[in-house]
Amino acid sequence: MRKNLFTIALLLFAFTYVQAQEVAFEEYKLDNGLHVILHQDNTAPVVITSVMYQVGAKDENPERTGFAHFFEHLLFEGTENIERGEWFKIVSSYGGSNNANTSDDRTYYYEIFPSNAVEVGLWMESERMLHPIINQIGVDTQNEVVKEEKRLRVDNQPYGNIFSEVKKNMFKKHPYRWSPIGSMEHLDAATLDEFLAFNEKFYVPNNATLVVAGDINFPEVKKMIQDYFGPIPRGAEVERVNIKEEPITEQINAVAYDPNIQIPAIIHAYRTPAMNTREARVLDMVSTILSDGKSSRLYKKLVDEKKMALQVAAFNVSQQDYGMYLTFALPLNNTSLEDLTKEIDEEIVKLQTELISEREFEKLQNVFENRFVNSNATIAGIAGSLATYQMLYGDINLINNEIDIYRSITREEIRDAARKYLNPNQRLRLEYLPENDKQ
């Protein structure tokens, strides 16, 4: 009972906002190339051990998509010193929790433990990196798990295939053209040797960032890290994806069908700069102006006033190589998709031709200040941000000063970014329709 109470307490701590302050950290590299970041916060007896690997969907063979996401599951199967099926039992026995997630650009594993179990977390992650057990039993088991996840989250989920349809139409060469869930046919066709080779290539110390954050003692943790991770051999250098897309110069018109929906959707998608650019941050602000909250321009116009849309959204999808800016709307009261496109375009044209008001600009700045504070308000959030800024942005200090970039963005830059990137001839227009509408 006591352990259960502690588990509840640490989870509440991990996801409860605390007062934001500058995030102090120390970083260094082991001889094998492992990038280490330490952050100390002794306000609660909680520690997070996490490892981010620079491998995502974009690193896959086009004939073997879904490998990175598959490994997110497969590397919980067991290791030479952790028997199959024991991983989660060990974590829970120490009152901890753990999880993992995969994107187009990286894979992230983490454990949240009482601080006196920090060594357990480090040992487990070193086991995952040094000698996981990858055999046919584990592959077959996780293959069924991934198939069920795809059925639940994509195939049987209303509007679940929108991103897949957007990506395959937006990208012709770059591996962003497929989704992290990948192809079940590719996974079925893969051999055990292919899975072993993927692990050997990507899950190595010189392709990873280890973050230990929370109630820690630096000298003690450094020694543990050296003991557990130092002996792991360096892997071969990973050749990074370097594929360029031709600019979109004419509107791409596409149609997709979904058996799980009754209301059609209209999506407009624009290819945008990489996540580490200033313009990507400006586009973050554009999306907030258009659809963040009930007072945003698109919501107020299409949902509240004209009652043409049941739902409307605009958002900037930030990624390492290219971003995507999307608008999404569900029609109401027999509104046509063409009319929704017209209304959305009118609001974008206003951004392209008129500066937002000083009052709207002040509100925008407040929104981003609040987001920044919240992003650094939990140990879990800090650990993830430290790894992300180091690996995908190449600048850990952004955890403290990225807000300065947003603060310095001007109203003129917002107008100019809309002019440069959000034009009809630079986009995909996707009609996402009920399957019953298929002729």
Side-chain angles (χ1 to χ4, degrees):
M1 180 66 180
R2 186 176 180 181
K3 185 184 296 179
N4 290 339
L5 289 174
F6 182 86
T7 302
I8 294 170
L10 76 86
L11 288 173
L12 286 173
F13 172 78
F15 296 100
T16 301
Y17 292 154
V18 296
Q19 184 176 1
Q21 56 186 347
E22 182 167 325
V23 177
F25 59 87
E26 181 178 337
E27 62 170 320
Y28 62 97
K29 272 191 176 183
L30 299 186
D31 291 341
N32 58 14
L34 179 67
H35 204 113
V36 180
I37 307 172
L38 305 179
H39 166 68
Q40 186 179 50
D41 184 334
N42 303 122
T43 56
V46 177
V47 67
I48 291 178
T49 55
S50 66
V51 177
M52 183 175 286
Y53 293 93
Q54 194 162 3
V55 54
K58 74 177 182 188
D59 299 291
E60 298 162 350
N61 178 340
E63 300 302 318
R64 290 292 183 267
T65 62
F67 263 47
H69 172 258
F70 190 85
F71 265 77
E72 175 197 319
H73 294 266
L74 186 63
L75 293 185
F76 282 104
E77 272 288 304
T79 75
E80 291 181 11
N81 294 301
I82 301 175
E83 292 185 11
R84 184 169 183 266
E86 292 298 308
W87 186 284
F88 298 102
K89 293 179 183 177
I90 293 172
V91 172
S92 62
S93 71
Y94 283 89
S97 63
N98 66 178
N99 214 329
N101 53 71
T102 307
S103 74
D104 285 318
D105 298 312
R106 92 296 178 271
T107 304
Y108 185 58
Y109 299 90
Y110 66 91
E111 296 81 30
I112 306 173
F113 275 120
S115 53
N116 60 7
V118 61
E119 188 169 6
V120 177
L122 291 170
W123 167 67
M124 295 184 77
E125 286 300 339
S126 69
E127 279 288 303
R128 194 198 313 265
M129 186 182 294
L130 179 57
H131 36 50
I133 297 297
I134 298 175
N135 56 27
Q136 198 61 51
I137 295 174
V139 167
D140 291 344
T141 300
Q142 295 307 321
N143 202 341
E144 291 306 312
V145 171
V146 171
K147 285 179 180 177
E148 181 59 28
E149 180 180 350
K150 185 174 185 292
R151 285 190 287 266
L152 180 65
R153 296 187 178 182
V154 180
D155 298 339
N156 298 325
Q157 181 74 25
Y159 308 100
N161 270 301
I162 281 181
F163 268 106
S164 296
E165 293 293 332
V166 167
K167 286 159 71 70
K168 79 178 186 182
N169 284 286
M170 286 283 287
F171 297 98
K172 304 304 179 184
K173 300 177 182 179
H174 195 282
Y176 283 163
R177 66 184 185 272
W178 59 81
S179 295
I181 195 72
S183 163
M184 299 304 101
E185 290 76 15
H186 290 176
L187 294 176
D188 287 340
T191 66
L192 182 60
D193 284 343
E194 287 177 300
F195 288 111
L196 290 167
F198 195 83
N199 179 75
E200 183 179 356
K201 180 176 181 179
F202 291 110
Y203 299 87
V204 292
N206 47 302
N207 195 45
T209 295
L210 167 69
V211 178
V212 187
D215 183 25
I216 60 174
N217 177 286
F218 274 25
E220 291 177 0
V221 167
K222 284 182 177 181
K223 184 180 185 306
M224 294 175 193
I225 291 171
Q226 182 60 45
D227 290 345
Y228 287 112
F229 291 90
I232 301 176
R234 185 185 186 97
E237 293 305 310
V238 177
E239 185 177 346
R240 298 296 171 200
V241 173
N242 186 23
I243 299 174
K244 305 298 181 184
E245 286 280 347
E246 296 298 323
I248 299 172
T249 57
E250 184 177 347
Q251 178 170 287
I252 302 166
N253 295 299
V255 178
Y257 296 92
D258 188 332
N260 303 304
I261 65 173
Q262 286 77 48
I263 300 174
I266 184 67
I267 299 97
H268 306 101
Y270 308 79
R271 197 185 304 142
T272 55
M275 64 199 307
N276 64 349
T277 61
R278 183 178 180 88
E279 287 176 310
R281 279 111 174 178
V282 178
L283 288 166
D284 285 339
M285 287 191 153
V286 172
S287 66
T288 300
I289 294 167
L290 288 177
S291 74
D292 185 49
K294 293 185 177 181
S295 63
S296 62
R297 293 188 177 191
L298 288 179
Y299 186 94
K300 188 174 181 180
K301 175 183 181 182
L302 295 178
V303 178
D304 193 15
E305 294 177 357
K306 292 194 171 184
K307 295 181 172 45
M308 295 176 65
L310 179 67
Q311 184 178 342
V312 64
F315 44 96
N316 189 37
V317 180
S318 294
Q319 295 174 290
Q320 191 175 26
D321 297 343
Y322 291 98
M324 294 186 297
Y325 189 93
L326 284 77
T327 66
F328 167 89
L330 301 178
L332 184 65
N333 295 331
N334 296 316
T335 301
S336 70
L337 299 185
E338 290 76 13
D339 284 344
L340 283 178
T341 292
K342 179 182 176 182
E343 296 289 343
I344 292 169
D345 283 350
E346 282 184 2
E347 290 306 311
I348 291 176
V349 169
K350 286 181 183 178
L351 282 177
Q352 294 172 330
T353 55
E354 304 170 9
L355 294 179
I356 65 172
S357 69
E358 290 283 2
R359 182 177 180 181
E360 194 171 16
F361 187 57
E362 182 180 353
K363 175 187 172 184
L364 187 64
Q365 293 284 356
N366 291 337
V367 167
F368 278 83
E369 291 276 355
N370 186 57
R371 288 181 187 174
F372 178 73
V373 169
N374 289 343
S375 69
N376 289 350
T378 71
I379 296 298
I382 288 171
S385 293
L386 286 168
T388 299
Y389 284 128
Q390 186 278 319
M391 183 171 286
L392 302 184
Y393 289 81
D395 183 1
I396 309 179
N397 288 301
L398 286 170
I399 196 167
N400 291 314
N401 60 32
E402 187 177 36
I403 187 60
D404 295 332
I405 300 175
Y406 286 105
R407 286 171 179 153
S408 69
I409 291 171
T410 65
R411 294 187 297 155
E412 288 77 11
E413 285 181 284
I414 292 170
R415 177 198 61 199
D416 294 345
R419 283 179 179 174
K420 185 174 181 179
Y421 294 107
L422 305 184
N423 297 301
N425 68 312
Q426 297 170 292
R427 74 184 178 194
L428 162 71
R429 183 180 183 275
L430 173 65
E431 294 189 358
Y432 195 81
L433 309 176
E435 193 168 79
N436 292 337
D437 291 357
K438 188 182 293 186
Q439 299 297 324

